Amino acid sequence: MLFRIGEVKLSLKESEEAARYIADSIAVFREVGTPHLESSALTLLAASERDRGQFDQALATVGESLRIAESLRSELISPESRASFLKNMQDAYHLQTELLMRLHQATPDRALNARALEVSERQRARSLLDLLTESGADLRQGVDAALISRERDISQQLSSKAQQSMRATNAARTDALKKEIGQLESELERAQAAIRKASPNYAGLTQPRPLTVGEIQNELDADTLLLEYSLGPGRSHLWAVTKTSLVSHELPAESAIEVRAREVYELLTARGAGPRGETPAARRERIARSESRLTIAARELSRVILGPVASLLGGKRLVIVADGALQYIPFAMLPDPTIGPGKPEQPLIVGREVVSLPSASALAIQRAELAGRPPAPKLLAVLADPVFDRQDTRFAKPSAEPDSPAAQLINGDNARRLEHIARPVKDSKSGVITHRLVIPRLPYTRQEADSLLALAPKTESLRALDFSANRATALNPELSQYRYVHFATHGILNSERPGLSALVLSLIDEQGKQQDGFLRANDIYNLKLPAELVVLSACQTGLGKEVRGEGLVGLTRGFMYAGAARVVVSLWSVNDRATADLMAAFYQKMLRQGERPAAALRAAQVEMWKQKQWHSPFYWAAFTLQGEWR
């Protein structure tokens, strides 16, 4: 009660009186032994001290709050629990950052600036750091077989229920399955926590520590500029870090930046399906309007988030650690703020590579895990153009009835997204109308696969097309023998349950029987895939559930956990033909010209931008490289 009164008083700007109530609540929480509540109350007390201009005292108070919270977090075992706890710590971290930056601005002090950046690192992607640290350890070695069996059984049940959910058309059945899936996810989390607790290898792991500024600079080379963003409720901050320097800038509040970022993202994706019955002329007019608005919106966003560091950009590689809504923006397409007035605008990527990271600390841990790892013996594995339906012409006798889980359909946008549509289908004999999931075949994924495989010797490549582009192939340990692993198919984004986000592989076997064809994020965490590069040439594979403090949780971190040094993913529903052209150029530059993946992706995207047909960033900017750029 005292705590809630203090909250209300603080919201009414009655900070003196609020502080008294909050201090009394802290005494109570200490007496009854509830440190998590004590930590929350200390953060609130620090806010009241800030409001009264007592910045040094507030900094000490919020520091104590975070000390308690960090000790509690370290006692949690499951990544999900740690991520949830970190989410609740974000207000304290933002307050600590704000106080450090206010003190730095009042009396410029590099140490304060450095501490603020280090706080930014501590508040982001911590569960990912934990996962990357344990990825090299066999956590199941030495664990009771019953625990391992329990985890496997729950995973299989979860996979089965998720598949049923994809095919369900009855609302009540769908709701019931969602409830069962939620319960199974909780059971799986508990089973995995039990394995970690029992694992001798897990017991020997040291909790990862976010980097200091000096350690971040050690990870950079002379040609790289790290831009790290922290979006806060009152003000946001940007740190620009090179191997030898650190500068910071105050940016507008998170809400102001989010409005601009969301507008750019919506306009970027506006080439998708329009209203039903839209004529070609109306479509052209709609797209022209959105392109014009996109130019203005992107220019404004670039001014706000890149303008302050324009003088530092030069031709340096940009490593972006984004936050909040900025995670949805491919910085590569933003107008280059170094282009002077009177000159034609060009996207940022024309002058430099652009790479994304969840945090600088994540890269350091990944590099430590990858150090000395021998390259996989074979070159390229491609899984593409799966079979989704018995009506597919690849059957000797295609079915006349859409009696499989998906009906073949090529939509007008040729987008590599799964349209989870309950499409009405009338049975020719009974006249009964049912509803079925519609998954269109993607004709250009085959062209894409053929282009890539032509660049690799047959003895060093895996061609998994048609029926062989299936879940069994993806889960086969043989896939770990390849340095480059490429998936070209549909993607499913599940922003509510990121473990169920998936790549869609063959749903029908060669005998026409239904099979589970969804390679889910939960499956990917169990892979051993020490690839130099994994490319997810599908829709929205870089998105996921947005978790405060963790970023976008989805397929990307699954492949990083599995061992991929870098992952190329997409931020929206990509065009099938444009993607095939982009990927052909990308791999040509890597496999024939010997360019690094980051450099090759940049060169391929610039080539696309120069072509009139693919000039719009909608066609080339969706794909971003996350992870190691070297």
Side-chain angles (χ1 to χ4, degrees):
M1 179 62 76
L2 293 170
F3 178 80
R4 296 304 175 198
I5 294 173
E7 265 189 320
V8 172
K9 293 290 184 183
L10 192 61
S11 69
L12 296 174
K13 307 299 182 183
E14 299 173 8
S15 56
E16 289 272 6
E17 197 170 349
R20 288 196 292 272
Y21 281 102
I22 297 167
D24 288 344
S25 73
I26 291 171
V28 173
F29 294 148
R30 284 175 179 164
E31 184 177 347
V32 299
T34 51
H36 63 290
L37 295 177
E38 180 187 347
S39 176
S40 298
L42 283 165
T43 299
L44 206 61
L45 180 60
S48 73
E49 292 166 342
R50 173 205 58 194
D51 292 351
R52 287 176 283 151
Q54 299 172 353
F55 295 157
D56 287 311
Q57 180 58 45
L59 191 58
T61 302
V62 76
E64 176 63 12
S65 168
L66 285 168
R67 184 195 66 77
I68 295 171
E70 286 282 5
S71 68
L72 294 173
R73 184 181 181 277
S74 68
E75 296 172 2
L76 302 173
I77 293 180
S78 84
E80 291 79 6
S81 298
R82 286 184 172 182
S84 177
F85 199 85
L86 181 67
K87 176 181 176 181
N88 295 329
M89 295 164 62
Q90 291 303 298
D91 289 343
Y93 277 124
H94 279 300
L95 178 55
Q96 191 177 40
T97 301
E98 178 192 342
L99 290 165
L100 287 166
M101 294 307 295
R102 283 198 180 191
L103 290 169
H104 168 63
Q105 288 160 0
T107 308
D109 182 337
R110 187 185 185 281
L112 290 170
N113 199 14
R115 281 182 62 193
L117 175 55
E118 289 163 9
V119 171
S120 175
E121 279 292 300
R122 280 200 296 275
Q123 78 181 62
R124 68 176 74 236
R126 294 285 294 283
S127 294
L128 176 59
L129 301 193
D130 297 332
L131 288 169
L132 291 176
T133 300
E134 70 178 47
S135 64
D138 185 355
L139 298 185
R140 288 156 183 80
Q141 184 179 359
V143 175
D144 187 341
L147 281 177
I148 307 298
S149 178
R150 173 65 176 157
E151 179 199 26
R152 184 170 54 250
D153 290 345
I154 296 171
S155 294
Q156 290 172 350
Q157 291 177 53
L158 182 58
S159 182
S160 175
K161 294 297 181 185
Q163 189 175 9
Q164 292 175 40
S165 179
M166 288 297 299
R167 292 170 173 165
T169 57
N170 178 277
R173 178 60 177 153
T174 299
D175 290 342
L177 284 167
K178 284 184 177 180
K179 185 176 180 180
E180 292 179 56
I181 287 170
Q183 292 170 343
L184 286 169
E185 285 185 321
S186 297
E187 288 182 38
L188 183 61
E189 179 182 344
R190 289 193 293 270
Q192 291 172 339
I195 289 172
R196 287 183 172 90
K197 192 172 182 178
S199 172
N201 291 341
Y202 185 81
L205 293 176
T206 301
Q207 277 209 353
R209 177 182 56 81
L211 300 186
T212 64
V213 169
E215 289 168 333
I216 291 173
Q217 291 177 317
N218 287 339
E219 298 295 332
L220 305 178
D221 51 65
D223 298 321
T224 299
L225 173 66
L226 172 77
L227 299 180
E228 181 155 330
Y229 293 84
S230 176
L231 306 188
R235 61 196 75 194
S236 301
H237 297 95
L238 162 62
W239 293 273
V241 189
T242 70
K243 195 164 186 64
T244 58
S245 67
L246 166 66
V247 297
S248 60
H249 295 273
E250 185 175 304
L251 301 179
E254 179 175 20
S255 57
I257 291 176
E258 181 172 357
V259 167
R260 293 179 172 91
R262 296 287 182 188
E263 181 183 14
V264 169
Y265 186 81
E266 289 170 6
L267 291 170
L268 270 171
T269 58
R271 280 180 177 262
R276 187 178 297 275
E278 183 180 40
T279 65
R283 174 180 167 81
R284 287 192 295 272
E285 184 179 347
R286 173 175 59 82
I287 290 173
R289 285 198 306 269
S290 69
E291 288 288 325
S292 177
R293 291 173 56 202
L294 174 60
T295 299
I296 297 169
R299 186 185 302 143
E300 175 61 13
L301 182 61
S302 178
R303 181 191 67 78
V304 172
I305 65 175
L306 292 173
V309 292
S311 62
L312 302 176
L313 299 183
K316 290 184 180 295
R317 174 189 302 108
L318 297 185
V319 177
I320 307 296
V321 179
D323 192 22
L326 293 181
Q327 296 171 101
Y328 295 88
I329 301 299
F331 277 60
M333 57 74 56
L334 292 176
D336 188 338
T338 68
I339 304 297
K343 296 182 179 179
E345 278 187 353
Q346 64 183 33
L348 201 61
I349 202 170
V350 173
R352 60 198 60 79
E353 292 173 25
V354 182
V355 177
S356 297
L357 290 179
S359 74
S361 301
L363 175 68
I365 292 175
Q366 191 180 27
R367 282 178 171 173
E369 293 293 321
L370 298 176
R373 186 178 78 181
K378 296 182 180 180
L379 186 61
L380 175 66
V382 178
L383 289 82
D385 195 16
V387 180
F388 303 126
D389 194 87
R390 282 187 58 196
Q391 288 185 299
D392 196 298
T393 55
R394 283 170 284 187
F395 281 101
K397 294 182 179 180
S399 170
E401 297 292 337
D403 55 357
S404 49
Q408 198 174 154
L409 172 71
I410 302 300
N411 63 32
D413 300 308
N414 285 325
R416 296 188 182 185
R417 65 178 177 271
L418 179 74
E419 295 289 359
H420 191 174
I421 303 172
R423 182 178 176 83
V425 177
K426 186 175 182 179
D427 186 276
S428 60
K429 296 178 180 178
S430 66
V432 174
I433 295 178
T434 58
H435 291 75
R436 302 189 185 281
L437 178 67
V438 177
I439 304 181
R441 183 181 178 184
L442 295 167
Y444 288 99
T445 57
R446 192 173 204 85
Q447 173 184 308
E448 180 177 323
D450 289 340
S451 297
L452 307 191
L453 289 164
L455 301 171
K458 288 186 178 180
T459 56
E460 293 187 28
S461 60
L462 170 66
R463 177 188 173 89
L465 275 63
D466 307 318
F467 297 101
S468 63
N470 57 34
R471 191 167 181 267
T473 301
L475 296 177
N476 192 321
E478 286 295 313
L479 204 61
S480 67
Q481 298 298 300
Y482 296 89
R483 297 195 291 279
Y484 300 90
V485 179
H486 187 93
F487 295 89
T489 183
H490 286 287
I492 303 172
L493 169 66
N494 192 320
S495 56
E496 180 183 350
R497 302 185 184 281
L500 300 184
S501 292
L503 297 171
V504 188
L505 301 173
S506 289
L507 298 171
I508 304 293
D509 68 15
E510 290 169 289
Q511 286 72 47
K513 295 179 181 178
Q514 296 179 8
Q515 62 184 8
D516 185 0
F518 299 102
L519 181 67
R520 301 179 182 84
N522 287 334
D523 298 319
I524 295 164
Y525 279 101
N526 290 320
L527 294 177
K528 293 296 181 184
L529 200 61
E532 292 301 306
L533 173 69
V534 172
V535 178
L536 307 184
S537 185
C539 287
Q540 300 179 324
T541 50
L543 302 184
K545 183 177 182 179
E546 187 173 347
V547 179
R548 285 189 74 200
E550 284 299 329
L552 299 176
V553 178
L555 297 173
T556 305
R557 63 173 53 199
F559 279 106
M560 285 185 169
Y561 181 82
R566 51 191 71 77
V567 185
V568 170
V569 292
S570 65
L571 294 173
W572 57 78
S573 296
V574 295
N575 177 274
D576 187 25
R577 182 181 172 189
T579 299
D581 286 0
L582 174 67
M583 291 300 164
F586 176 35
Y587 276 84
Q588 172 76 26
K589 296 176 189 308
M590 282 194 299
L591 301 186
R592 287 287 169 86
Q593 299 173 23
E595 293 192 25
R596 293 174 294 103
L601 181 61
R602 174 208 169 200
Q605 289 179 317
V606 171
E607 278 187 12
M608 295 283 285
W609 170 73
K610 289 180 178 179
Q611 297 178 48
K612 183 178 180 180
Q613 181 181 13
W614 307 129
H615 180 74
S616 169
F618 168 77
Y619 292 114
W620 55 264
F623 288 98
T624 65
L625 185 144
Q626 301 200 21
E628 178 62 85
W629 63 81
R630 295 191 305 203

